Amino acid sequence: MGRLILLAALAVALVIAALVRNTAARHIALAPLVAVLVAVATFALAIRPLGLVVATIIACIALNIPGLRGRIGESVIAVIFGVVVVVAATILADLPVGLWPRLGGL
Amino acid sequence: MEAFADLNEGFKVMLSQYNFVYCALAACLGAFLAYLPGLSSPVVIALAFGFAFGMPPTTAIIVLVALCVGAQFGRSAAAVHRARGDAAYAEGDASLAPIAIAALLSGAVVAIVAAAVMPLAIAALPSLGAAEITAFIIAFLALAAALAPRSVVRAVAAIVIGGLISIMGSEIDAAVQVLSFGNLELPDGIGFLSLLIGVLVIPGVVGAYAGSTVTAQATAEPRTPPTRRRTGEYPTIVTATAANAGLSASFLPLLTLGLPAAVVAPMFLWMLTIHGILPGPRVATRMPEVLHGLFAAIIVANGVLLLVMLLAERLFARVQRLNVRVLATVVLAFACFGVYTENNSPFDVALMLTYGIASYLLFTSDYERYLLLLAFLFGPLLHENIRRFSAGGDMGAIISSPIAVMLIAAGAILVAAIGAWRMESRKTNAAGR
């Protein structure tokens, strides 16, 4: 266990050192990165209890929040397109994925 | 003449079981998606990859080849479009048909040559054992790392990380769990789809949003003013033709040696593996229809693209005006959906996110990401072959095979030569400043 912790600590140190050097050498877009992180994490958490449609809507909204100012129309179109594409793929491929919230299962 | 007979067989394969329809649709889909602003061709193939999962092996390979050809074409066409400017298309003063003709000619010539060379290459190959395969994989990965365009250290790190991820899961023979950290999901191993989409698509989406150049070069590059003289297009057409010929030619080493010579090779290797086809000389004898279908698919896909360009070129050209933010949202939604539906597992989506964030932060080029995917695919093969030749735990047994020693020596010499050349060019560059 001790060796594993040491190994993990070494890995973390290497990653931090690499990130510091990397960040200095190139531009890392933090706001889009956080938006993608929040969007995908929300999708993963919401997909089972809330279904595909609601999870996709939440994820698309989360992704579009950073640049929302003055681009509300664009963001609404993005959300609508995102939902339409995944729902169409589910229906066309006849996939066993719950589209709507499981009201009885909560 | 044998090449034409093989191609004839390939066209027969193409005309059976709706293969032609699948090939045409995949070529159009690949070209359309790669033509969109902000989507690079590997991202396109990674997104569309899931469609070929449930298909029979020959159809799946044909679809993947057509997607690659279409994506390559779409990328070249988008580059020419940018070189000419939107106005030339709006006025009907420009055409993408020359690229389609050049792509069709180059693809057809290379497919015929590859079909002719394939039997000779297979006959020239000696039968390889576990030690030789191990030596080959090690030499190949070392060479790939040495050729990294930016940082060799990062390339080696990508290979090590890919190899480590590939051995996560359960060791079936020894009934032990490897690198699963007591997690209940990890003993099943890591799925290729979540890794593929995470490593390639997530950095693309972040880059498209940020307007950076990760995979969104199309959005970041300044558009040239409209021109009727088309001065910048000929080099682009030549580049497009060369890229198309290179893509077609890369299937030869991939299928005869299992040597991934193209950026889309990790996806091909995975598709072959899940259908139980081990790339190598035996493909030609065990599943000749896969080989014949592949070369015919290159020609058919290019022919379909030429037709599409002649019939619906203006419609195609309008695709460039689509909004990148909207596209990035759709791509991310589809990526999450695709990874989730593979096993109906939110854990896979979380894994995709983890790989994606790590890939964006740690790697600076797509080349490093491909190395990670290659190492992930080669990892189990390397693991299995090392176990086979070193039954008593003696790694020195590899020296007993002359071919393995030759392969490692050749790899070492090439790596040293590349290293010396890189150092020399760095000194020259420093002196030039």
Side-chain angles (χ1 to χ4, degrees):
Chain A
M1 190 63 189
R3 270 186 290 182
L4 191 66
I5 291 170
L6 272 178
L7 199 61
L10 177 65
V12 170
L14 277 174
V15 168
I16 290 171
L19 280 181
V20 169
R21 285 184 62 185
N22 237 351
T23 314
R26 68 180 178 131
H27 172 67
I28 288 182
L30 213 57
L33 189 65
V34 173
V36 168
L37 198 151
V38 172
V40 179
T42 316
F43 181 89
L45 291 172
I47 181 80
R48 279 214 173 136
L50 298 178
L52 184 66
V53 173
V54 178
T56 308
I57 290 173
I58 296 172
C60 292
I61 290 172
L63 187 63
N64 280 280
I65 282 175
L68 200 60
R69 195 178 298 166
R71 286 178 160 183
I72 292 176
E74 201 175 276
S75 301
V76 171
I77 292 171
V79 173
I80 292 171
F81 266 102
V83 174
V84 167
V85 166
V86 295
V87 171
T90 309
I91 293 169
L92 287 175
D94 197 19
L95 293 169
V97 180
L99 288 177
W100 305 106
R102 289 187 300 180
L103 295 174
L106 283 173
Chain B
M1 287 309 286
E2 201 177 332
F4 289 105
D6 287 348
L7 278 177
N8 189 30
E9 286 299 314
F11 286 118
K12 282 182 191 165
V13 170
M14 190 59 73
L15 290 173
S16 62
Q17 296 176 343
Y18 299 107
N19 284 341
F20 180 82
V21 178
Y22 281 124
C23 179
L25 288 177
C28 293
L29 181 72
F32 173 77
L33 291 176
Y35 203 80
L36 292 171
L39 287 185
S40 67
S41 52
V43 172
V44 167
I45 297 162
L47 281 174
F49 184 69
F51 287 119
F53 256 24
M55 296 176 174
T58 309
T59 311
I61 294 300
I62 286 172
V63 165
L64 215 50
V65 169
L67 268 173
C68 290
V69 170
Q72 181 63 53
F73 173 82
R75 206 172 159 189
S76 307
V80 173
H81 186 140
R82 283 197 299 279
R84 291 170 176 170
D86 284 333
Y89 290 91
E91 292 165 20
D93 192 35
S95 171
L96 288 170
I99 313 167
I101 294 169
L104 174 62
L105 288 177
S106 63
V109 169
V110 173
I112 292 167
V113 171
V117 171
M118 183 79 89
L120 303 174
I122 288 167
L125 282 173
S127 58
L128 301 177
E132 289 83 7
I133 293 173
T134 305
F136 178 77
I137 294 173
I138 292 171
F140 177 75
L141 289 177
L143 203 57
L147 285 169
R150 291 187 186 170
S151 163
V152 175
V153 176
R154 239 186 336 250
V156 172
I159 290 172
V160 172
I161 293 170
L164 285 175
I165 293 172
S166 76
I167 59 168
M168 284 170 94
S170 298
E171 183 78 59
I172 297 169
D173 296 344
V176 291
Q177 292 181 5
V178 182
L179 295 175
S180 61
F181 308 106
N183 187 293
L184 293 176
E185 307 255 9
L186 284 177
D188 289 340
I190 303 294
F192 181 65
L193 194 64
S194 55
L195 182 70
L196 173 73
I197 293 187
V199 165
L200 289 181
V201 176
I202 298 281
V205 171
V206 176
Y209 260 76
S212 76
T213 54
V214 179
T215 57
Q217 289 162 349
T219 54
E221 283 174 16
R223 300 205 169 195
T224 50
T227 171
R228 287 180 182 230
R229 288 189 177 180
R230 306 177 193 175
T231 46
E233 76 180 62
Y234 291 108
T236 319
I237 291 176
V238 172
T239 312
T241 312
N244 202 60
L247 176 75
S248 307
S250 70
F251 293 121
L252 181 69
L254 176 71
L255 286 166
T256 52
L257 292 167
L259 190 71
V263 290
V264 292
M267 293 167 240
F268 257 94
L269 279 175
W270 181 253
M271 186 56 81
L272 290 170
T273 312
I274 60 171
H275 284 297
I277 306 167
L278 189 65
R282 288 178 200 150
V283 173
T285 49
R286 286 190 184 169
M287 302 197 78
E289 68 276 10
V290 170
L291 278 184
H292 300 151
L294 187 149
F295 290 121
I298 293 171
I299 299 173
V300 170
N302 278 309
V304 167
L305 289 171
L306 175 59
L307 267 179
V308 170
M309 276 307 108
L310 291 174
L311 295 175
E313 188 177 354
R314 278 199 189 187
L315 191 71
F316 223 74
R318 285 187 187 175
V319 168
Q320 276 280 308
R321 297 179 196 167
L322 291 178
N323 188 301
V324 176
R325 280 172 63 87
V326 175
L327 283 171
T329 307
V330 174
V331 165
L332 189 75
F334 195 73
C336 293
F337 162 78
V339 170
Y340 176 75
T341 50
E342 191 193 9
N343 296 316
N344 276 4
S345 163
F347 184 75
D348 285 351
V349 181
L351 275 181
M352 174 193 80
L353 177 65
T354 312
Y355 295 138
I357 302 287
S359 165
Y360 177 72
L361 290 175
L362 298 177
F363 302 128
T364 53
S365 72
D366 276 346
Y367 188 85
E368 290 153 10
R369 298 186 178 105
Y370 300 133
L371 284 185
L372 189 145
L373 293 171
L374 269 184
F376 179 81
L377 289 177
F378 276 137
L381 193 64
L382 191 62
H383 189 195
E384 172 65 26
N385 281 292
I386 287 176
R387 269 216 323 231
R388 274 172 55 200
F389 82 78
S390 64
D394 177 21
M395 281 294 286
I398 200 166
I399 303 171
S400 60
S401 160
I403 296 176
V405 172
M406 273 172 57
L407 282 168
I408 289 184
I413 291 168
L414 280 171
V415 168
I418 293 166
W421 171 71
R422 287 177 82 120
M423 283 173 70
E424 188 62 33
S425 57
R426 202 173 294 166
K427 275 183 196 166
T428 314
N429 285 344
R433 285 176 200 164

